[in-house]
Amino acid sequence: MSDYTFFHQTNIIIHVGSGVLALLLGLVALSTKKGGRAHRKSGLLFLLFLAIVVTTGLLGVLVFNVNQFLLVLTILSGYNGYSGYRVIKNKSNIPKTQDILVAFLSLGSGIYFLHYMESIGMIWSPVIIYATLGFLFFIISYDLLRYLIPPKKYGKLWLYEHIYKMIAAFTALAAAASGTLLPNYKPYSQFLPSLLGTLLTVVFIVYFYRKSRVGQNEITKRQS
C-alpha cells in the first residue's frame, strides 16, 4: 500500500471503513424489529455507507485500475441496495423512469465486464464470476419484467422483493470483503456469505408470508 498515491490510499481507507460500517449497520437492520425505528434508521444508514462503498469502488476500478471484478460486486451490491430501497418506498410495480435507467446502466456495466473479461483477467474463481454475473442479470431482468405483472396480482410482492434485495446487497458486500481478506480460503470465502444470505432470505420470506396469511385468516373470521 506504500506504493499507492495519497489519493489512492485515501480512497481505500474510505472504501474499507465505509464497508465495515455498512456491514455492522446491516446486521443491526437484520436483527431489529422489521418496520421499527431502529430497523428503518439502521437500514437508511446502511444504504448511505453502501453508496460510499459503491462510489469509492468505482473510483478504484476506473481511476486507480484495481481488480476489475470488484466492479461487478460493487454494481451487484449497489443495485440491490438501490432497488430494495425503491421497492419499499413505492410499494408497487408502476414503472419509474429513474429505476429503468439505473437497471439498464447496471446491465450495460455487467455486459461490459463480460465482454472484456478475458483481457481483464480471472483473479477470482470463474465459478464465482459467472455466478455473480448471472445473479446480476437475473435480478435486473426480473425488475424490468415485473412491470408486466398486473398491479392486482403484484400485491405484496414488494415486501418479499425488499427482503430479498436488501439481504442480497448485504451478502454481496460481505462476499467482497471475505473474498478479499481471506484469499487462502477461496472459493469458500467467496460464496459462503451468499449461501448464508440465501438461507436467511428464505427464513424471512416464509416468516412474513405465514404472518400475512394468519392476518388474512383473522380478518376473514371477523367478517364472517
Side-chain angles (χ1 to χ4, degrees):
M1 189 167 174
S2 59
D3 296 332
Y4 297 157
T5 64
F6 170 77
F7 293 107
H8 193 177
Q9 291 182 24
T10 302
N11 190 67
I12 291 174
I13 292 171
I14 295 174
H15 181 77
V16 173
S18 299
V20 171
L21 289 173
L23 289 172
L24 292 175
L25 288 163
L27 289 174
V28 174
L30 287 170
S31 59
T32 52
K33 182 180 179 181
K34 306 302 174 281
R37 183 173 180 274
H39 175 76
R40 294 197 305 271
K41 189 172 182 179
S42 59
L44 287 173
L45 287 173
F46 166 76
L47 290 172
L48 172 63
F49 284 105
L50 177 60
I52 297 174
V53 171
V54 171
T55 301
T56 52
L58 290 175
L59 284 174
V61 173
L62 301 176
V63 177
F64 303 112
N65 198 31
V66 298
N67 182 359
Q68 299 281 332
F69 180 58
L70 291 178
L71 174 65
V72 180
L73 289 171
T74 298
I75 293 170
L76 176 61
S77 183
Y79 180 78
N80 273 307
Y82 168 84
S83 186
Y85 168 75
R86 291 287 296 172
V87 75
I88 197 69
K89 182 179 180 180
N90 297 323
K91 296 181 180 179
S92 72
N93 64 333
I94 298 175
K96 303 288 184 180
T97 302
Q98 72 178 77
D99 297 334
I100 295 174
L101 289 175
V102 171
F104 275 110
L105 180 62
S106 301
L107 182 64
S109 300
I111 293 173
Y112 166 84
F113 178 86
L114 186 64
H115 181 71
Y116 289 101
M117 189 162 55
E118 291 186 5
S119 60
I120 289 171
M122 293 272 195
I123 297 176
W124 283 43
S125 169
V127 174
I128 301 299
I129 292 176
Y130 286 118
T132 304
L133 282 169
F135 181 65
L136 176 64
F137 294 150
F138 169 78
I139 197 68
I140 293 174
S141 297
Y142 168 79
D143 276 355
L144 294 173
L145 291 173
R146 68 182 173 143
Y147 297 131
L148 301 177
I149 302 174
K152 289 184 179 180
K153 290 187 177 181
Y154 182 76
K156 278 195 172 184
L157 278 178
W158 56 265
L159 174 61
Y160 307 120
E161 283 186 38
H162 175 71
I163 294 171
Y164 180 79
K165 291 172 180 176
M166 295 306 292
I167 294 179
F170 175 81
T171 54
L173 196 62
S178 60
T180 302
L181 297 174
L182 302 172
N184 294 331
Y185 296 93
K186 293 179 182 180
Y188 304 104
S189 61
Q190 299 165 325
F191 73 78
L192 282 180
S194 297
L195 178 61
L196 293 174
T198 300
L199 294 175
L200 188 61
T201 300
V202 171
V203 169
F204 274 119
I205 288 179
V206 170
Y207 170 78
F208 281 102
Y209 176 76
R210 289 182 175 178
K211 185 177 180 180
S212 176
R213 294 285 293 181
V214 170
Q216 289 177 355
N217 290 337
E218 289 181 353
I219 293 173
T220 302
K221 289 179 181 180
R222 289 174 186 174
Q223 291 177 343
S224 60

